[in-house]
Amino acid sequence: MTRLTVAHVTPYAWDPSPQAPGAAGEVNRAVARTTHRLAERGHRVLIVAPSTSTAAVRATRRAVRQGVDPFDPDGGVALLQVGEVLPPPGTVRRVAGLPVDVTRTVEELLGHVALDICHVHEPFGPSVSSTALRYSRALNVGTFHAPSERLVATQVTKKLTELILGRLDARLASFQATADLMARHFPGTYRVVAPGADPAPAGATPRATYAGAPVRLLFVDEEERGALRLFLRALRRLDTGPTAPPWEAVVVSARGPSSSTPLRHELRERVRFAAGDAVDAEMAGAHVLVCASDGGAPAPGLLLRGLAAGVVPVASRLPGYEEQAEDGKGLLFEPRDVDTLSAQLDRLIADPALLERLRSAASPMRAAAGWDRVTDDLEEVYASLVARRHDPAGDPEVRRRLKGRPLIDVDLHMHTDHSHDCATPVEVLLATARDQGLGAIAVTDHNEISGALEAAKKAAQYGVKVIVGEEVKTANQGEVIGLFITEKIPRGLTLEETVAEIRRQGGLVYVPHPFDRMHAVPDYEHLLKIIDDVDAIEVYNPRVAIGSFNEEAARFAAKYRLVAGAGSDSHVAQGLGSVRIRMRDFDGPQEFLESLRDAEIHTKPGTLLYVQALKFLETKATPPAARKARRARRIERATRKS
């Protein structure tokens, strides 16, 4: 595979190590394992994360502002800690909040580091991940890990979240339950790439398999607190008599025993509490893993690690657990059902043959549980995205031919009174273009080509080259411009049908104001469906009221290496010249596209309110009879000068 430059962005604090409990640990573990393998395969890899270390954050910010190359010169994984977060009082978890002053650092980093892929994890806002997604100029991949209804359904700024997630070029989910949950709340196509699992640590005590050995039950405190209480209550129901089959339990927790669930003396002898960093070692010696979440904070990654370690899961019937325990790999119980949980544990303690059957059923899964398989899947996703980028080289022969041509100024987006919302006669438009020093213009009336054809016939009188175009309104999928077309394209076709018709006429597909939510624009996913057929994209339009929409268009053009264009979108003659493209003179669509590839876009301070007011006065505020008389006078003045 081609060597790529990749950044993985996590919303969770990285230090002192990525092995924090719960969701933070699962996400950061996946980032650590996959980035290490990507680097081993020759890719240049960054990890971008918040931190609890003030010194680390200061060092990163200093390096970013000095423009230091952030990559490891020895080919390893570089870590950039871009913002400082503090854990809530009394907790060991590192939360996914937005660190102070992280926005500027992330924007500067992504502005000067040329990335092929920006891979964000849990990009819900506000967080480092969502900030990276906002400013990324690379192809964006998002991975959603936790199948938590609470996390997704409580996104109070859902419309904003939809806009942020709309910047994703590929969506991945760690589990099918996560994919289903995300698709329900934020529709899209989600590919499941299950996380990997680590082998047992060196020196770990293997699970006992001799006859009469106690069955070891393991609980890892990575779910909500109520799950531990449920597990301990279930233990109180197990038989501890002298004739009962032997068993013991281990609770791995950084929080210690639950004071709300006291243990009887005979249970205290069977239950041992271990430190929070002993998960892998304890899994190597356990027979049964209990996952008892009620859905508040499930840990499906923990269950997967247990299966990979050869532990039989007993889990609450949640989608994220059920999909992994199916096909006879584990036992289930209804959430909060302590009686059924206790009964399932009794079955496994009393029946070693059942325990071994369930363990054996997971053998195929264990064979594919390594992180190399995950890295293979990620490389496949990355390669499919990179393959969709346009070739910036274009046609070298045509570009060489154009080098000796004179430079002209061009405006690629304007309207005449053949558009329903414009009162500028063709003659006035041509005369103004000439007076503004434009060498070529594209006339792109709304759903009409007659104005462009008339302008092309009269162009020679004014010394201005005219590109015949049309701005076509599609069926609820925004607008698209066809340049160098010869026939009117009807409105109301799908985006794909409109593009196909432009192609049939030998024209070029030009996408105007693609991310201006105040215009009719194709959403991100519709745009991705036609990306192979897009010839150029408008990265600057002075009539766009919010500058970030133009910036987003420029980022989109950069990531897919699309040819960048610009136009005044003028509906009044005074709007011409507010933006111009300086490019080599051209003849026909092929030369035009290659000339545009090397063009410079020049803008001047906007006069949006002024031209919008003029548009209102020329159309809505002027009675039809007065408009007709004024049109005649304007044409007379324009033709007199030609």
Side-chain angles (χ1 to χ4, degrees), residues 15 51-62 81 84:
D15 49 11
S51 173
T52 57
S53 167
T54 302
V57 172
R58 285 177 178 170
T60 294
R61 289 179 174 171
R62 186 164 50 249
Q81 295 170 298
E84 187 176 1

Side-chain angles (χ1 to χ4, degrees), residues 173-175 192-196 304 370-371 373-374 377:
S174 292
F175 305 98
V192 176
V193 177
L304 184 145
W371 289 102
R373 183 263 311 160
V374 180
D377 288 347

Side-chain angles (χ1 to χ4, degrees), residues 487-558:
E487 304 170 15
K488 177 180 175 179
I489 300 173
R491 66 175 294 172
L493 302 176
T494 66
L495 187 59
E496 291 89 342
E497 290 170 341
T498 305
V499 167
E501 178 59 21
I502 294 171
R503 288 289 190 211
R504 184 191 68 79
Q505 296 186 33
L508 300 178
V509 177
Y510 180 54
V511 181
H513 43 69
F515 299 105
D516 181 7
R517 275 84 191 183
M518 298 180 182
H519 280 83
V521 296
D523 60 37
Y524 206 98
E525 289 201 64
H526 282 117
L527 202 52
L528 291 180
K529 289 179 181 177
I530 63 164
I531 195 69
D532 296 337
D533 292 314
V534 173
D535 294 297
I537 186 170
E538 188 175 72
V539 301
Y540 185 81
N541 182 319
R543 291 188 67 243
V544 170
I546 300 176
S548 61
F549 294 158
N550 281 329
E551 293 168 5
E552 191 170 349
R555 285 193 292 268
F556 187 86

Side-chain angles (χ1 to χ4, degrees), residues 418-476:
H418 292 247
S419 286
H420 69 279
D421 59 348
C422 178
T424 305
V426 168
E427 295 84 355
V428 173
L429 185 76
L430 291 169
T432 306
R434 177 199 60 206
D435 296 343
Q436 286 287 341
L438 294 173
I441 59 173
V443 179
T444 56
D445 286 316
H446 293 294
N447 310 303
E448 186 54 72
I449 197 175
S450 56
L453 292 174
E454 182 183 342
K457 289 179 182 178
K458 298 177 178 179
Q461 303 173 39
Y462 296 86
V464 178
K465 184 176 294 186
V466 171
I467 300 170
V468 176
E470 179 185 354
E471 187 171 15
V472 187
K473 182 74 172 289
T474 65
N476 302 316

Side-chain angles (χ1 to χ4, degrees), residues 82-378:
V82 293
E84 187 176 1
V85 293
L86 296 175
T91 180
V92 297
R93 299 189 184 220
R94 304 294 188 260
V95 295
L98 183 64
V100 177
D101 196 30
V102 72
T103 301
R104 178 185 169 192
T105 305
V106 171
E107 182 180 8
E108 290 180 353
L109 172 67
L110 298 182
H112 84 260
V113 176
L115 295 173
D116 294 300
I117 302 289
C118 180
H119 191 146
V120 296
H121 297 261
E122 303 288 38
F124 296 108
S127 69
V128 174
S129 293
S130 64
T131 302
L133 194 52
R134 177 183 177 188
Y135 292 107
S136 169
R137 299 174 69 87
L139 296 163
N140 298 318
V141 178
T143 294
F144 301 89
H145 296 263
S148 173
E149 185 84 29
R150 181 184 300 173
L151 173 66
V152 178
T154 57
Q155 294 294 306
V156 293
T157 55
K158 186 171 182 179
K159 289 300 284 186
L160 179 59
T161 303
E162 287 175 342
L163 291 177
I164 293 173
L165 300 187
R167 296 185 173 100
L168 291 171
D169 301 283
R171 304 184 185 202
L172 309 181
S174 292
F175 305 98
Q176 187 60 51
T178 307
D180 294 342
L181 178 66
M182 289 299 304
R184 188 163 67 249
H185 289 277
F186 302 101
T189 301
Y190 295 83
R191 172 176 172 172
V192 176
V193 177
D198 297 331
T205 304
R207 65 183 56 85
T209 56
Y210 57 87
V215 173
R216 182 175 295 178
L217 312 177
L218 175 65
F219 182 90
V220 180
D221 190 16
E222 293 188 2
E223 302 166 303
E224 68 276 7
R225 189 63 166 175
L228 174 57
R229 290 196 292 268
L230 187 74
F231 172 68
L232 295 177
R233 286 202 298 271
L235 295 186
R236 293 167 61 183
R237 287 165 167 76
L238 297 180
D239 191 351
T240 57
T243 60
W247 63 270
E248 60 187 18
V250 178
V251 176
V252 178
S253 175
R255 296 183 287 196
S258 171
S259 59
S260 62
T261 310
L263 300 177
R264 299 193 305 269
H265 173 71
E266 60 270 24
L267 277 182
R268 286 200 297 271
E269 294 179 345
R270 293 174 180 258
V271 179
R272 172 171 58 87
F273 282 82
D277 59 358
V279 177
D280 292 332
E282 293 295 346
M283 275 192 182
H287 300 87
V288 177
L289 172 68
V290 176
C291 295
S293 173
D294 62 5
L302 174 66
L303 194 151
L304 184 145
R305 290 162 61 196
L307 284 169
V311 183
V312 174
V314 177
S316 49
R317 194 180 295 277
L318 300 174
Y321 292 161
E322 196 169 2
E323 70 176 86
Q324 298 183 72
E326 62 185 0
D327 300 326
K329 296 193 288 287
L331 301 178
L332 300 170
F333 62 94
E334 295 300 324
R336 302 191 185 93
D337 186 350
V338 65
D339 293 323
T340 304
L341 169 57
S342 178
Q344 298 288 43
L345 294 177
D346 261 330
R347 289 178 63 195
L348 294 175
I349 293 168
D351 190 348
L354 172 61
L355 193 63
E356 185 55 33
R357 282 200 307 275
L358 293 172
R359 184 177 182 278
S360 298
S363 295
M365 173 266 165
R366 281 193 288 276
W371 289 102
D372 286 334
R373 183 263 311 160
V374 180
T375 309
D376 290 342
D377 288 347
L378 293 185

